[in-house]
Amino acid sequence: MENQYGFNGMRLLTKFQIQHRALGRFVLLHSSFLDTLACISSAKATVYPDQNVMIRLSEAKALIAEL
């Protein structure tokens, strides 16, 4: 589907949570997003579903080390 106006909204991070489970050695990441066009026109705004991601603790530590 082509956008006839030539511009799109962008994802705006509105909520971010991290939970660590020591017993299972994994990290849960939860994020929520809002389309930046939602404040202009809710009819043209894209609805982004919440995201839940689970990664191993060792992978999370490796990613943090790279940052």
Side-chain angles (χ1 to χ4, degrees):
M1 183 172 151
E2 274 189 46
N3 186 337
Q4 65 185 7
Y5 300 109
F7 68 93
N8 294 351
M10 295 177 56
R11 286 185 183 195
L12 175 66
L13 181 64
T14 59
K15 182 178 177 185
F16 186 76
Q17 296 177 332
I18 298 175
Q19 295 179 352
H20 171 250
R21 301 288 184 212
L23 184 62
R25 293 186 171 258
F26 59 89
V27 176
L28 297 171
L29 307 171
H30 174 80
S31 57
S32 299
F33 297 90
L34 178 68
D35 191 336
T36 54
L37 288 179
C39 64
I40 299 170
S41 172
S42 61
K44 294 180 182 171
T46 302
V47 176
Y48 296 110
D50 289 354
Q51 295 179 344
N52 293 300
V53 178
M54 181 176 65
I55 60 174
R56 291 189 317 254
L57 180 59
S58 60
E59 293 296 320
K61 287 180 178 181
L63 290 170
I64 291 169
E66 286 184 31
L67 292 175

